[in-house]
Amino acid sequence: MRISFCCTDTASEPWLQGLRAALPTAKVLLWEPGAPLADYAVVWAPPQQFFDEQPQLKAVFNIGAGVDALLKLRLPPNALVVRLDDAGMSVQMAEYVCHAVIRHFRELDAYEADTRQGNWSFRKPRSRADFPVGIMGMGVLGERVARSLVGFEFPVMGWSRTPKSVDGVQCFAGEQGFADFLAASRVLVCLLPLTPETRDIMNHANLSRLQSGAYIINVARGAHLVDDDLLALLDSGHIAGAALDVFRTEPLSAGHPFWQHPKIVVTPHTSARTLRSESITQITSKITAIQRGEPVAGVVEPSRGY
Ligand code: NDP
Ligand code: OXD
């Protein structure tokens, strides 16, 4: 069995060593143009030439959860496309989102500014009931985030394409549930995949439906958010602030207003990182399962875009 590794912006040697150690009978090769045909591919942002030269692949493993960039390429017709299914990302995402929600709810930035001035002063405690959190996308990551926020006793809502039932979470689904979901949310977390249906979903009309003093947390993809609409609603005061981990252009371009905005916290696409060891274990177990003819989790449906 041959596995071809083609991941841009990734230190390849530790991945190659890890894949070889996990599957000692496989030939694991770093792809280069003209490389031999492989059975499986492990990829991140590969060039189109990679797939053009590897039309026989049985499965393509993406070393990330989101496949929006991968699905823009012409893929081998018979290959399964398999994304990372948690692999250590959901706990990181829960940490990031809970931190952002709590930092905003407990006014920790304002406390920090006060204490830097030498001020020992208190703010009136706020009620969790006034900070209902709505999570768009109740998949592997969204559900874990929802459960973690329930643990902190926030009112939590979830919105997904198909109906869900999660303890302690009020679930909404589909277009018919969207307006009610937004109206019930003050903090909005985006954990949707980027598809034609979800692009620009955080636009002026939808963000205006949130409760006044809303807070936005985007940890999915930059193209879910219309930047100018967020800026306008921050100016109008309808939105109180935002924590943004993902951007339309990454790295965020120099001079973009988000960098210095006093109500926006920027992080460099780091809310849930790919963990090499967990990912290698997951991918190699799935290769073994596919070889045995068994089904695997995390198979992407190209027609729905995730
Ligand atoms: P999943 O595929 O497990 O979950 C996606 C969720 O979105 C599902 O609940 C799905 O609904 C819902 N959804 C999809 N389309 C729609 C729609 N049109 N309307 C309503 N709901 C919809 O993905 P993950 O949870 O693993 O990951 C989510 C995204 O997070 C990734 O696609 C990626 O872009 C981003 N990500 C960002 C990272 C970062 O570091 N910032 C790291 C990892 C991921 P249903 O359940 O009904 O199918
Ligand atoms: C991912 C990401 O999709 O890191 O895994 O954004």
Side-chain angles (χ1 to χ4, degrees), residues 44 62-68 83-84 89 93 141 219-221 245-246 250 269-274:
W44 183 254
N62 187 53
I63 63 164
V67 289
D68 43 293
R83 67 191 194 87
L84 285 185
M89 285 196 203
M93 202 51 103
L141 304 182
V219 279
R221 288 291 183 265
D245 185 52
V246 287
E250 294 184 1
H269 199 141
T270 196
S271 50
R273 305 286 293 271
T274 293

Coordinates of all heavy atoms in Angstrom, one line a residue, residues 44 62-68 83-84 89 93 141 219-221 245-246 250 269-274, ligand 2:
W44 N -3.2 18.7 2.9 CA -3.7 20.0 3.3 C -3.3 21.0 2.2 O -2.1 21.1 1.9 CB -3.0 20.4 4.7 CG -3.6 21.7 5.2 CD1 -3.0 23.0 5.2 CD2 -4.9 22.0 5.7 NE1 -3.8 23.9 5.7 CE2 -5.0 23.4 6.0 CE3 -6.0 21.2 5.9 CZ2 -6.2 24.0 6.5 CZ3 -7.2 21.8 6.4 CH2 -7.2 23.1 6.7
N62 N -7.9 14.7 4.8 CA -7.6 16.2 5.0 C -7.2 16.3 6.4 O -7.8 15.9 7.4 CB -8.9 16.9 4.8 CG -8.8 18.4 4.8 OD1 -7.9 19.0 4.1 ND2 -9.6 19.1 5.6
I63 N -6.0 17.0 6.6 CA -5.5 17.1 8.0 C -6.1 18.4 8.7 O -5.5 19.1 9.5 CB -4.0 17.0 8.2 CG1 -3.3 18.1 7.4 CG2 -3.5 15.7 7.7 CD1 -1.8 18.3 7.9
G64 N -7.4 18.6 8.4 CA -8.2 19.6 9.1 C -9.6 19.2 9.1 O -10.0 18.2 8.5
A65 N -10.4 19.9 9.9 CA -11.9 19.6 9.9 C -12.6 20.2 8.8 O -13.6 19.6 8.3 CB -12.4 20.1 11.3
G66 N -12.2 21.4 8.4 CA -12.9 22.1 7.3 C -12.4 21.7 5.9 O -11.2 21.6 5.7
V67 N -13.3 21.4 5.0 CA -12.9 21.0 3.7 C -13.3 22.0 2.6 O -13.3 21.6 1.4 CB -13.5 19.6 3.3 CG1 -12.8 18.5 4.2 CG2 -15.0 19.6 3.5
D68 N -13.6 23.2 2.9 CA -14.1 24.2 1.9 C -13.0 24.4 0.9 O -13.3 24.4 -0.3 CB -14.4 25.5 2.6 CG -13.4 25.9 3.7 OD1 -13.4 25.2 4.7 OD2 -12.7 26.9 3.5
R83 N -12.4 14.0 6.5 CA -11.9 15.1 7.2 C -11.5 14.6 8.6 O -11.9 13.5 9.0 CB -12.9 16.2 7.3 CG -14.1 15.8 8.1 CD -15.3 16.8 8.0 NE -16.2 16.5 9.1 CZ -16.1 17.0 10.3 NH1 -15.2 17.9 10.5 NH2 -17.0 16.7 11.2
L84 N -10.8 15.5 9.4 CA -10.5 15.1 10.8 C -11.8 15.2 11.5 O -12.6 16.2 11.4 CB -9.5 16.1 11.4 CG -8.0 15.8 11.0 CD1 -7.1 16.8 11.8 CD2 -7.6 14.4 11.2
M89 N -9.5 18.3 18.6 CA -9.9 19.7 18.3 C -11.0 20.2 19.1 O -11.1 21.4 19.5 CB -10.3 19.9 16.8 CG -9.1 19.9 15.9 SD -9.6 20.5 14.3 CE -8.4 19.8 13.3
M93 N -11.5 23.8 21.0 CA -12.5 24.7 20.6 C -13.4 25.1 21.8 O -13.8 26.3 22.0 CB -13.4 24.1 19.5 CG -14.1 25.0 18.7 SD -13.1 26.4 18.0 CE -12.8 25.9 16.3
L141 N -17.7 19.8 16.7 CA -17.1 20.9 17.5 C -18.2 21.7 18.2 O -18.1 22.0 19.4 CB -16.3 21.8 16.6 CG -15.1 21.2 15.9 CD1 -14.3 22.2 15.1 CD2 -14.2 20.4 16.8
V219 N -15.2 31.3 14.9 CA -14.1 30.3 14.9 C -14.3 29.3 13.8 O -13.6 28.3 13.8 CB -14.1 29.6 16.3 CG1 -13.5 30.4 17.4 CG2 -15.5 29.2 16.7
A220 N -15.0 29.7 12.8 CA -15.2 28.8 11.7 C -14.4 29.2 10.4 O -13.3 28.7 10.3 CB -16.7 28.6 11.4
R221 N -15.0 30.1 9.6 CA -14.2 30.6 8.5 C -14.6 32.1 8.3 O -15.7 32.5 8.6 CB -14.6 29.9 7.2 CG -14.1 28.4 7.1 CD -12.6 28.4 6.9 NE -12.1 27.0 6.7 CZ -11.6 26.3 7.7 NH1 -11.6 26.7 9.0 NH2 -11.1 25.1 7.5
D245 N -11.3 34.6 15.2 CA -10.1 33.7 15.0 C -9.8 33.5 13.5 O -8.8 33.0 13.2 CB -10.4 32.4 15.7 CG -9.2 31.5 15.7 OD1 -8.1 32.0 16.1 OD2 -9.3 30.3 15.3
V246 N -10.8 33.8 12.7 CA -10.7 33.4 11.3 C -11.1 34.7 10.4 O -11.9 35.4 10.8 CB -11.6 32.2 10.9 CG1 -11.0 30.9 11.5 CG2 -13.0 32.4 11.4
E250 N -6.2 35.4 5.2 CA -5.3 35.0 6.3 C -3.9 34.9 5.7 O -3.7 34.3 4.6 CB -5.7 33.7 6.9 CG -7.1 33.9 7.6 CD -7.6 32.6 8.3 OE1 -6.9 31.6 8.3 OE2 -8.7 32.7 8.9
H269 N -6.1 32.3 13.8 CA -6.6 31.0 13.4 C -6.0 29.9 14.2 O -5.3 29.0 13.7 CB -6.4 30.8 11.9 CG -7.2 29.7 11.3 ND1 -7.8 29.8 10.0 CD2 -7.7 28.5 11.8 CE1 -8.5 28.6 9.8 NE2 -8.4 27.9 10.9
T270 N -6.2 30.0 15.5 CA -5.6 29.1 16.4 C -6.5 28.5 17.4 O -6.1 27.8 18.3 CB -4.4 29.9 17.1 OG1 -3.5 29.0 17.7 CG2 -4.9 30.8 18.2
S271 N -7.8 28.7 17.2 CA -8.8 28.2 18.2 C -8.7 26.7 18.4 O -8.8 26.2 19.5 CB -10.2 28.7 17.9 OG -10.5 28.4 16.6
A272 N -8.6 25.9 17.3 CA -8.4 24.5 17.5 C -7.4 24.0 16.4 O -7.7 24.0 15.2 CB -9.7 23.8 17.2
R273 N -6.2 23.7 16.9 CA -5.1 23.3 16.0 C -5.1 21.8 15.7 O -5.6 21.0 16.5 CB -3.8 23.7 16.7 CG -3.7 25.1 17.1 CD -3.5 26.0 15.9 NE -2.2 25.8 15.3 CZ -1.0 26.4 15.7 NH1 -1.1 27.3 16.6 NH2 0.1 26.1 15.1
T274 N -4.7 21.5 14.5 CA -4.5 20.1 14.2 C -3.3 19.5 15.1 O -2.3 20.1 15.1 CB -4.1 19.9 12.7 OG1 -5.2 20.3 11.9 CG2 -3.7 18.5 12.4
Ligands
OXD2 C1 -9.6 23.2 10.3 C2 -8.9 24.4 10.7 O1 -10.5 23.2 9.5 O2 -7.9 24.3 11.3 O3 -9.2 22.1 10.8 O4 -9.5 25.5 10.4

